[in-house]
Amino acid sequence: MITLKPGDVEAGGVGLRNHLILAAGVLGTTGASLSRMLRLGAGGVVTKSIGPAPNAGHHGPCLIRTDCGLLNAMGLPNPSKNFVEELEPLTGEPVVVSIFGGNPEEFKEVAGWFAGQAQAFELNVSCPHAEGYGAAIGTDPETVLECTRAVASYGLPVWVKLTPNVTDITTIGKAAEQGGASAIVAVNTVRAMRISTAMRRPVLGHRSGGLSGKAIFPVAVKCVWDLYEACSVPIIGCGGVSTANDVVEMMMAGAQAVEIGSAVVDDVRVFERIGRDLYAKDGHAADEIVGAAHHD
Amino acid sequence: MTEIPTMPVPVTIKAIVQETPSIRTFYFDPAIPSSPGQFVMVWVPGIDEIPMALSSSHSITVQKVGDATAALFTMQVGDRLGIRGPLGNGFIVSGKTLAIGGGVGAAPLLNLVSAGQVSTFLLGARTKDELLFAPLIRATCTLRIATDDGTAGRHGFVTDLMDETDLADYDHICVCGPEIMMVKVLDRLQKADIAERGQFSLHRYMKCGIGVCGSCATDPHGLRVCRDGPVFTGDSLLETEFGKYTRDASGRRVHFPPLHPETPKKPETKEE
C-alpha cells in the first residue's frame, strides 16, 4: 500500500503532528478527553461544537451503532462559554474549536471567547438534526459566506464543515471560500434514521439523525472529489475513514488531511493504528498524493 | 470487552417488585447475559434512554430520581423497554471479596453476591426501610448493616462498619453507592495502603454508552466511564475528579458538596 513520509504537517493554516485529526463531536466535550486523544496519536483535535448557550441536547437514545456506522442525534449538547476553562491546559496544542450559532453574529460571539486559545475555528454549518442551527445554516450559500466572514475577522484560520445533504456541495464550498475560509471540511453526517419494529417507533429520541462511519465513506470521497474540482481552498476529508488506505484514498480525491471520528467506537487507539500503517521513512511526500486521482 | 450492541433489544416487563419505598426492581424477558457490575442503556420509549446497573441478567433495580425513572415507575407488567448492553467492564474478583453498597448502589453488587463471589457485605441506607436486598444478601454471605438514623444495624455510615473490619484480609473491595460515600471508602482504603484492591463503580452522565460521545469522560486522564469503566480501581481514582465534581448533560462541571464535616447528607443523584 502507498505510504506517506512522516513528520509535521500544515493543513488549512494549522500546524498538525500528522495528517489524522480527531473529528468534532467525538470525545471532545472535555479538555482531558482531547488531551488523551493527542497522547494517543491524533495529529490535531477538533472540539465538540460550542454554541451561544449551555445545552443539554436531545433526549435519548442519542446514538446507536448500525451495521456499518453510527447513527446519532446528540442535539449539540455543550457547556458553551464554560468550555474556555477546559481548553486552558491545552494552550499551544493543535486544537481546532468547533463552533455553531444561529446567525453570523452568534458565530462571531462564540468564536470571540476562544480567539486566544484556538489554532483555528471549524464552523459547524452542517449538523443535520438541530433546528435553527447546523445544516439549517449550511444549506444557504449566502449565510455560509456571512458566517465565515464574521469569524474570519479574528485573523485565525477558519475551517467550514459542510453537509452532504445538499444537491450540489460545491456551491456551499465556493461560498465558504468567498467568505475567507482557510479550509473546507467535507463532510458532516448524512441524514438517516432507523425504526425499532418491536416498538413501532423511530429508535432515536429525536426520531432522525445523522449517519457516520464506514457507510458514508464513499459519499465523503465523492464530496471531496467534487470540491477539489470546483474550489481552490484546501480540503479536509471527513466521513468513514477507518484505515490507512482510506486516508490515502481521501487524499487522492483531494484532501490535505483527514478527520476521524466514528472509528474510535471500535478502537480508541485508532490514530496510533492508522499512523503505523500510513507512515514510512521511504513514503511519498503528501503533495504527490493530494488530488493524485484527478489527472486526465 | 463484550461486543458493542447495535439496535436496542426489546424486552417485556414480566414482574415489578417494590424493594423499598423508593426502589423497584423490574424483571424482564429475554435476559441479557452479563458479568457482575456491567450496565445497560435502558430506553423508555418516548421519554429518554438512561444507564442502569443490572441487578441480575434479567432485572434492573431503579430509584426514582428524574424524568426517565419517573416514567419507568409508571410502567406495568407487559410493557416494553429497549435494552442496549451489556456495556462496560464490570467487577473482576478472585479470592476473598468485601462488597460495600450504599442505597440503590447495592444493585450492581447483587450480581456479584448471586455469583457467590462475596464473602462479606457491608450494606448502608438512610433508614431501615431503604435497606436493599438485605435478606438475599444474608442468605449468601456475611451481612453487616448501617443506617444513618440507627433504625437497623449500626447507627452511622457504612464506612463506620469498615473501621470494625480487617480490610487487609480481603483481596478485593467492590464498592457502589453515592459518590460521597465511595470517596470515604477510598479514603479508608488509602489509609490502610490498599487503594489498589478497591473496585469502584462510578456514575456519570452518559449519552452514547459506547465510548464515542465523551459526555462521561473524567479528569484528568480522559477515561470514559461507559467504556473504560464503570468500574475503576481505587488507586486509579486518586488525584482525579472523583469525589470533587461530575458533569451535567451540557458538560458543565457540577461540584459535590465539601466532604467535611461528616454529617449525613442526602446524596444528589444526577440523572440529567
Side-chain angles (χ1 to χ4, degrees):
Chain A
M1 95 143 244
I2 290 171
T3 54
L4 298 178
K5 209 180 282 298
D8 289 348
V9 173
E10 196 274 342
V14 179
L16 303 166
R17 293 173 191 162
N18 57 55
H19 294 90
L20 315 174
I21 306 162
L22 177 71
V26 176
L27 300 178
T29 311
T30 70
S33 186
L34 291 165
S35 291
R36 183 184 183 200
M37 297 315 287
L38 287 168
R39 283 199 306 280
L40 292 180
V45 292
V46 184
T47 69
K48 180 77 190 158
S49 293
I50 304 299
N55 178 25
H58 296 316
H59 282 152
C62 290
L63 187 149
I64 60 159
R65 193 165 71 86
T66 70
D67 298 335
C68 47
L70 297 176
L71 176 60
N72 94 85
M74 299 291 289
L76 296 171
N78 80 96
S80 194
K81 201 173 183 177
N82 296 279
F83 194 66
V84 171
E85 67 174 334
E86 293 291 335
L87 291 187
E88 278 163 7
L90 285 159
T91 305
E93 303 275 343
V95 176
V96 176
V97 178
S98 174
I99 60 175
F100 73 92
N103 53 52
E105 294 71 33
E106 285 187 355
F107 270 96
K108 187 168 181 178
E109 181 197 0
V110 176
W113 303 334
F114 301 98
Q117 285 181 322
Q119 301 293 316
F121 293 111
E122 182 179 282
L123 309 193
N124 179 350
V125 292
S126 39
C127 172
H129 49 77
E131 286 67 28
Y133 297 110
I137 301 280
T139 47
D140 176 43
E142 186 61 29
T143 311
V144 168
L145 190 156
E146 286 171 18
C147 292
T148 308
R149 184 174 282 158
V151 177
S153 67
Y154 290 105
L156 289 167
V158 179
W159 298 0
V160 180
K161 188 169 181 179
L162 306 181
T163 174
N165 302 313
V166 288
T167 307
D168 179 6
I169 196 169
T170 64
T171 59
I172 313 295
K174 285 178 191 160
E177 193 170 48
Q178 282 166 23
S182 302
I184 45 185
V185 183
V187 290
N188 206 317
T189 55
V190 178
R191 282 193 298 175
M193 77 188 298
R194 290 293 302 274
I195 290 166
S196 165
T197 53
M199 303 290 195
R200 298 178 182 234
R201 63 164 70 225
V203 69
L204 291 175
H206 187 66
R207 297 193 290 277
S208 68
L211 185 67
S212 59
K214 285 182 195 290
I216 74 162
F217 180 69
V219 176
V221 170
K222 169 63 173 162
C223 289
V224 170
W225 175 278
D226 288 350
L227 289 163
Y228 187 82
E229 297 270 323
C231 303
S232 53
V233 69
I235 301 162
I236 311 289
C238 182
V241 174
S242 63
T243 67
N245 195 64
D246 290 345
V247 178
V248 172
E249 185 173 339
M250 197 74 106
M251 289 175 77
M252 286 187 171
Q256 295 200 348
V258 302
E259 294 186 0
I260 297 170
S262 297
V264 304
V265 76
D266 292 320
D267 182 10
V268 76
R269 297 180 178 272
V270 62
F271 290 94
E272 286 172 339
R273 176 173 60 77
I274 293 179
R276 270 197 305 275
D277 295 342
L278 182 62
Y279 295 107
K281 276 182 192 156
D282 60 351
H284 294 264
D287 57 14
E288 287 176 40
I289 303 297
V290 175
H294 285 265
H295 47 63
D296 293 332
Chain B
M1 173 58 67
T2 40
E3 199 186 333
I4 300 300
T6 55
M7 295 279 275
V9 172
V11 301
T12 304
I13 298 172
K14 290 292 179 186
I16 301 170
V17 174
Q18 188 85 37
E19 306 282 1
T20 80
S22 71
I23 298 170
R24 283 181 199 172
T25 297
F26 296 83
Y27 290 91
F28 53 77
D29 185 62
I32 308 287
S34 70
S35 306
Q38 287 193 299
F39 71 100
V40 291
M41 295 296 288
V42 178
W43 175 25
V44 185
I47 307 294
D48 208 347
E49 188 191 41
I50 50 174
M52 282 286 160
L54 286 162
S55 49
S56 75
S57 63
H58 57 111
S59 68
I60 51 173
T61 299
V62 184
Q63 186 164 35
K64 188 158 51 164
V65 291
D67 292 347
T69 47
L72 197 51
F73 268 50
T74 67
M75 297 185 84
Q76 308 291 327
V77 169
D79 287 347
R80 273 201 277 207
L81 297 167
I83 301 277
R84 285 194 296 141
L87 303 169
N89 57 357
F91 299 108
I92 296 169
V93 299
S94 56
K96 200 171 171 186
T97 297
L98 176 70
I100 305 178
V104 76
L109 294 165
L110 185 67
N111 239 339
L112 206 57
V113 171
S114 306
Q117 293 179 300
V118 176
S119 305
T120 307
F121 200 118
L122 309 184
L123 178 65
R126 200 167 42 75
T127 185
K128 184 185 177 194
D129 291 345
E130 289 291 346
L131 284 167
L132 185 62
F133 300 140
L136 279 173
I137 296 166
R138 190 178 285 118
T140 309
C141 65
T142 303
L143 172 66
R144 305 191 59 212
I145 286 170
T147 50
D148 295 357
D149 65 357
T151 46
R154 195 184 203 290
H155 187 176
F157 294 115
V158 76
T159 39
D160 298 326
L161 297 172
M162 292 177 73
D163 298 334
E164 300 155 6
T165 305
D166 181 8
L167 299 174
D169 196 31
Y170 294 91
D171 300 299
H172 303 282
I173 296 104
C174 296
V175 193
C176 188
E179 190 147 326
I180 292 167
M181 176 210 107
M182 290 201 290
V183 84
K184 286 182 191 167
V185 171
L186 178 57
D187 189 44
R188 298 288 204 288
L189 296 187
Q190 198 183 359
K191 279 178 183 146
D193 209 22
I194 53 167
E196 74 285 354
R197 296 191 202 176
Q199 295 185 23
F200 294 78
S201 180
L202 265 62
H203 188 188
R204 284 290 180 273
Y205 183 82
M206 290 176 193
K207 268 188 178 296
C208 80
I210 57 176
V212 184
C213 76
S215 66
C216 65
T218 56
D219 291 347
H221 306 302
L223 295 176
R224 305 155 297 174
V225 171
C226 73
R227 189 80 183 264
D228 302 305
V231 177
F232 295 91
T233 58
D235 54 330
S236 72
L237 292 174
L238 301 170
E239 313 298 323
T240 70
E241 69 172 46
F242 181 61
K244 299 181 181 72
Y245 57 84
T246 178
R247 288 170 198 274
D248 68 12
S250 78
R252 281 176 297 181
R253 293 177 193 182
V254 180
H255 289 264
F256 290 108
L259 258 186
H260 301 286
E262 286 201 0
T263 48
K265 282 194 182 71
K266 190 170 186 300
E268 206 176 315
T269 309
K270 282 279 162 198
E271 187 180 67
E272 297 210 332

